[in-house]
Amino acid sequence: MSAREEILDRIKSALRDSPAVPQIPRNYRRETDKTAEQRLGQLVDRLEDYKANVFVVPAAGAPARLAELLAGCASIVVPHGLDPQLLSALPRTGTGDAGTLAVAVDSPERPLTVAALDAVDAVVTGAAVAVSETGTIMLDGGPSQGRRIISLVPDRHVCVLRAADIVEVLPEAMARLEATAPQTWISGPSATSDIELERVEGVHGPRTLDVLILT
Amino acid sequence: MSNTFLGMPTLPVFGRGNLNATEPFPQAAHRELGNAQLRANLGHATHTIRDKRLKVVAELPDWEDMRDAGSAIKNATMAQLPALLEQFEANFTARGGTIHWARDAQEANEIATALIRETGETEVVKVKSMATQEIGLNEYLEGQGISALETDLAELIVQLDHDKPSHILVPAIHKNRSQIREIFLREMEDVDPALGNEPARLAETARRHLRKKFLSAKVAVSGANFGLADTGTLAVVESEGNGRMCLTLPETLITVMGIEKLLPSWSDLEVFMQLLPRSSTGERMNPYTSLWTGTTPGDGPQNVHLVLLDNGRTAALADEMGRTALNCIRCSACMNVCPVYERTGGHAYGSTYPGPIGAILSPLMTGIKSEENNSLPYASSLCGACFDACPVKINIPEILVHLRGEDVDSKRAKAKVPTQTDLLMKGAEWAFSAGSRLNLLEKGLPAGRLAAGRAKVIKKLPGIGGKWTQSRDIPAPPSQSFRQWWAKEHGAPNAAAPGTTGEGTISEGGRP
Amino acid sequence: MRIALFATCIVDAMYPRTARATVSILERLGHEVVFPPGQACCGQMHVNSGYFAEALPVVANHVKAFDTDDYDVAVAPSGSCVASVKHQHQLVARRCGDGALEARAAVVGARTYELSQLLTDVLGVTDAAGQLGSHFPHKVTYHPSCHGMRLLHLGDRQLNLLATVGGIELVELPEADACCGFGGTFSLKNADVSSAMMEDKAANICGTGAELCTGGDASCLMHIGGGLSRQGSEVGTLHFAEILASTLENPVTAAGNVQLAGARR
């Protein structure tokens, strides 16, 4: 008998008392009625609690704000589907002048190497949805977010989130996601509580998380 | 995909590997209690995490609703486990993953080794995983010439120190910052001797130590927190980003997961991803959660395997009173609130799974007859703090008592000479099964009072009672029992009329 | 109301004062107390030690003693023993395959109350000084025993009653909800861990500066008091029923074998 058959047999034997399959009481909150403004405020509060840097700007001001945020960087990477408008205020690339920024574009067709990703100063991505109650930003590998590796290897992650994509509770966010998409849920910069259970931000994942929320 | 079992019921097949105590719990506890540094470290850490957990749990108005849902979802999972496993397998396989089944620790280790050998690599990076700890994968791989590098900070600390984990969430909880600094200085290359003991500096040191390994790793081994049957999706919940590194960068990913980790559907995850972070690290959400379903072209490992592990889980499932122990989501809240764990630490439990959940899970997986594990169900004062804290409402005290019953019965069957406890219980059975018998026994109270002497305190009892008087006195018994007093006051039983009890007479007799 | 007292074995044999205080309180409220003479023990020592077969006759005896129409409600001055009557008895009967006993145990369990539960939820006591004449001019700290707190969900019932005793000074016990380490035979089988837990509890009690520690379970108080006594501490333990029973005219005094530190007034 194969291991598969044997284990399934063992399970069926263990369940020979035919335990009932209970109804699932789903009395927990699956949707809420916080206003957009309240959700935004809550998300900012939670992200700042995680030691992320949060910037709330009108959508029209996003390119300028992004340029300001990236002023100290020499190179960044972006996924192929990131809105090009967002990058419109960055200093012209490839001119070799001081203060300019090299922007590398990662795509499934032309993926960057790990070494290349390790060498850039920051990554700019979009986000699929965010949960204000837990301060969680979700990436689902969509064109504005790219391959999972690009938001991981660079030491700084600048995440651009539309305020319209903020929900309050986790069930609302999960309803918007496709389960089988490769996902990364991010709640603040990397952290550890492994030393005396005291939280310290900044380990292997990006040590800096900037969240630009567009209203 | 029917659950109906038509064959002959098989006897439970117990698990092996790092599930056994190597000595009885009281003996191990005695040694660990003598370690003042350990107790200070544990006291500090468990109190920190308790406060954090209480704070974030209190924030949610629907915490109890979530616990109810979580408990029901896990019960539903276990009741339909064969069908859900087959459904998971079909979905994971359809998306390019490969499933392997392992009856026990040995088989799982062999499968993992063969998969690593196929890649030609001799070094793998690892995400913290209880399942691989349980099967002793690292040691097995070492014997096969493959080195496994733990990348979780606490696991790394334990591995560098050639120690064993003592907690399922924070394996190095028994070490404080100064001890960790010393381990780094001793075991890592290129560490600045001026390294301080601030947690931030220590974490940075770990980052530098592991960075090159991550960026060049070809094979990773992980566990999984959840598997979703209706989509074939796996989830790993972590904080540091070491998990993301292992799950994203290498070409080959081998995940080892217990068969009980399934949830029926994607939407069930919405419950568990609220219960788990708040219960474990006391955070609203853990920094990173990764979800993958088989392979995704162009994104992450393309050679993806899952080893589904039994190793005694089916034996636990066969125990109708104990099977809810399999509902455990490894949050560690029970050990963080346990007054016994707080004082002994995790090593005293021997098994990979320490604390209250370990005290039931380990003997359920290995069988109560397994020599040393039969002391584990007694490693609890039954205070119930674990049950209150458990996000999936596992009634740990009730299962502990059930397993004590199994232990007593199994020893009874061996028909050995009765122990002192056996005799005590037999005597108490006689005395406590009729009021008249207890009354008879209570006639001896004045003698006990006399024996206590003028200090009216008993400082030393014989036999098993000596375990009490090693640290506690016993007051002199009263000169008469309550029932004797009552009989005198009321004559015939139950002839009392209201108001006949004399005021001010209650001060006679011993005070607690 | 006709109230059946379940004294519990430990109170019956070792702390009769606690049962007499319970009787006194209930009679002051105008209720009639009866003592079913067949009673002995709830059997939780057997159950919690895994001796289910030996527990069965003990459970059967309790059910037999209390399965009568001779009373309205039953009360015990113990959270732990009441939890056993309410939860464990049916479990023991079921495990031993005695369906009839299981059903009768459920009936008895439903009629049984812990003392503070009865006083608060059934008898409507909200002011111990006013309704019972309780007076106890001492500095007291309070340990909530685990089974009352977690199995019966007593909440602050005992503490609230104590707070309304005349003259009392209640001081908060740090880490009050931590187990004292008694745990029945746990105190023998894992004596070292049990002692370590007791020592921390004792240290917290002594740190409050209270003259004594009160609570609702004689077993836990015996454990804590036994530890304090061994350490040579002046601080004693006393069941809350005795504090409620103490009055200006008939104060609970230092007549016991442990002196009340600073009890003179």
Side-chain angles (χ1 to χ4, degrees), chain B residues 109-124:
Chain B
N109 287 332
E110 286 168 5
I111 292 167
T113 305
L115 291 171
I116 297 165
R117 285 249 168 84
E118 276 173 29
T119 67
E121 294 293 315
T122 54
E123 198 171 273
V124 301

Side-chain angles (χ1 to χ4, degrees), chain C residues 127-195:
Chain C
D127 174 9
Q131 291 167 275
L132 299 168
S134 310
H135 187 80
F136 193 74
H138 300 283
K139 190 172 178 178
V140 175
T141 193
Y142 165 75
H143 165 68
S145 282
C146 301
H147 292 172
M149 176 168 56
R150 301 201 180 91
L151 294 176
L152 296 181
H153 303 291
L154 293 181
D156 287 335
R157 285 179 181 81
Q158 294 175 352
L159 197 58
N160 289 344
L161 288 168
L162 286 164
T164 60
V165 168
I168 199 168
E169 185 191 345
L170 270 177
V171 285
E172 196 181 324
L173 178 63
E175 295 178 55
D177 62 359
C179 176
C180 74
F182 172 60
T185 48
F186 172 75
S187 62
L188 308 177
K189 286 195 174 250
N190 278 286
D192 295 325
V193 186
S194 169
S195 297

